[in-house]
Amino acid sequence: MIGEYKRKSPSRGNINPGATIQDVALGYQDAGIAAMSVLTDEEFFGGRNSDLRQVAGLVKIPVLRKDFIVDEYQVVEANSIGASAILLIASILTKKEIDTLSGLALKLGMDILFEIHDLSDIDKMSQNIKIIGVNNRNLKTFDISMENSDELYQHLPKECLKVAESGFQTAEDVNLLFKKGYDAFLIGERFMRSDDPGKSASIFINDLKNLVE
């Protein structure tokens, strides 16, 4: 399970203005979250680089810089602020750009979450990328369809770690895609909109364990 720290979003506005980075990060880690995603884009998500730097200093789990990475400077910057991995969104990059950015990230010791939204995005995937994510949110309309992860699964490279992203509300939602074959799940607003994101994540994970067992 990948938890997320996000102040706001373009489609939903402010999410949890009172949540502190320390409480959320340590709460997630205590809950058993395997990795943490941090939004660093300020214009659309209210994030900043210092958010990720602070999270990286607090937790022992991997930290993903979730941003619109489009140039090499941002990759070097991600490494300098403590990111363990970067997000590369296929729909906003060319195949050549993805090869260049992913190659640099790997040289710097970071992993890459390669995010796709439809079948055509897979053709842009660089061979050195080992983690692929399917986003259930349409970036143009912001509509969410859980069927996106279901439909695209059969086309994902078998050797890759497979991540389903966005739209999860219940443990049952996650369990359905876990049975499908997904390895990890990125959950943002579901936890962040609660009064205590760490506690919300803990309850969610326990509910999921009960379903799996």
Side-chain angles (χ1 to χ4, degrees):
M1 200 74 70
I2 305 170
E4 190 161 81
Y5 181 79
K6 178 163 61 173
R7 288 192 172 91
K8 68 177 186 178
S9 75
S11 60
R12 305 293 293 275
N14 289 329
I15 294 173
N16 191 340
T20 69
I21 293 176
Q22 180 169 331
D23 287 344
V24 174
L26 295 179
Y28 278 166
Q29 182 169 259
D30 291 344
I33 289 290
M36 191 165 166
S37 168
V38 180
L39 279 295
T40 57
D41 175 84
E42 185 168 3
E43 181 178 356
F44 297 106
F45 296 96
R48 50 188 74 102
N49 288 350
S50 58
D51 292 345
L52 193 147
R53 186 180 291 111
Q54 187 176 348
V55 169
L58 287 167
V59 300
K60 297 180 180 179
I61 56 178
V63 182
L64 167 72
R65 184 187 189 186
K66 197 160 183 254
D67 204 339
F68 300 95
I69 303 292
V70 295
D71 62 45
E72 293 177 75
Y73 175 84
Q74 291 173 289
V75 179
V76 175
E77 184 181 57
N79 183 62
S80 72
I81 60 178
S84 312
I86 60 167
L87 177 74
L88 293 182
I89 303 173
S91 60
I92 66 171
L93 297 166
T94 65
K95 175 69 167 64
K96 183 177 180 180
E97 289 170 334
I98 290 166
D99 288 342
T100 299
L101 296 172
S102 63
L104 177 57
L106 290 171
K107 282 184 180 180
L108 294 173
M110 293 184 292
D111 287 316
I112 301 100
L113 173 57
F114 179 70
E115 180 177 289
I116 68 171
H117 294 82
D118 56 47
L119 189 56
S120 64
D121 286 339
I122 298 178
D123 295 334
K124 297 181 182 180
M125 187 172 182
S126 176
Q127 291 184 345
N128 54 19
I129 294 175
K130 303 302 179 185
I131 308 173
I132 187 167
V134 177
N135 198 328
N136 295 313
R137 178 177 281 111
N138 186 307
L139 290 184
K140 296 179 180 178
T141 66
F142 299 118
D143 291 337
I144 292 176
S145 173
M146 303 301 290
E147 294 179 358
N148 203 38
S149 288
D150 187 38
E151 294 171 356
L152 289 179
Y153 178 81
Q154 62 181 316
H155 302 286
L156 304 181
K158 293 182 179 180
E159 68 276 9
C160 286
L161 184 75
K162 302 167 185 65
V163 184
E165 308 172 35
S166 300
F168 299 103
Q169 294 299 319
T170 68
E172 286 80 4
D173 292 337
V174 170
N175 193 40
L176 286 173
L177 290 180
F178 175 70
K179 288 181 178 179
K180 183 77 176 181
Y182 279 91
D183 305 291
F185 306 87
L186 194 153
I187 300 179
E189 292 184 24
R190 170 63 174 75
F191 299 150
M192 281 301 300
R193 286 194 178 278
S194 68
D195 293 334
D196 187 338
K199 183 178 180 180
S200 178
S202 180
I203 293 171
F204 192 98
I205 290 172
N206 285 332
D207 289 345
L208 182 59
K209 285 180 178 177
N210 290 333
L211 285 176
V212 173
E213 292 172 356

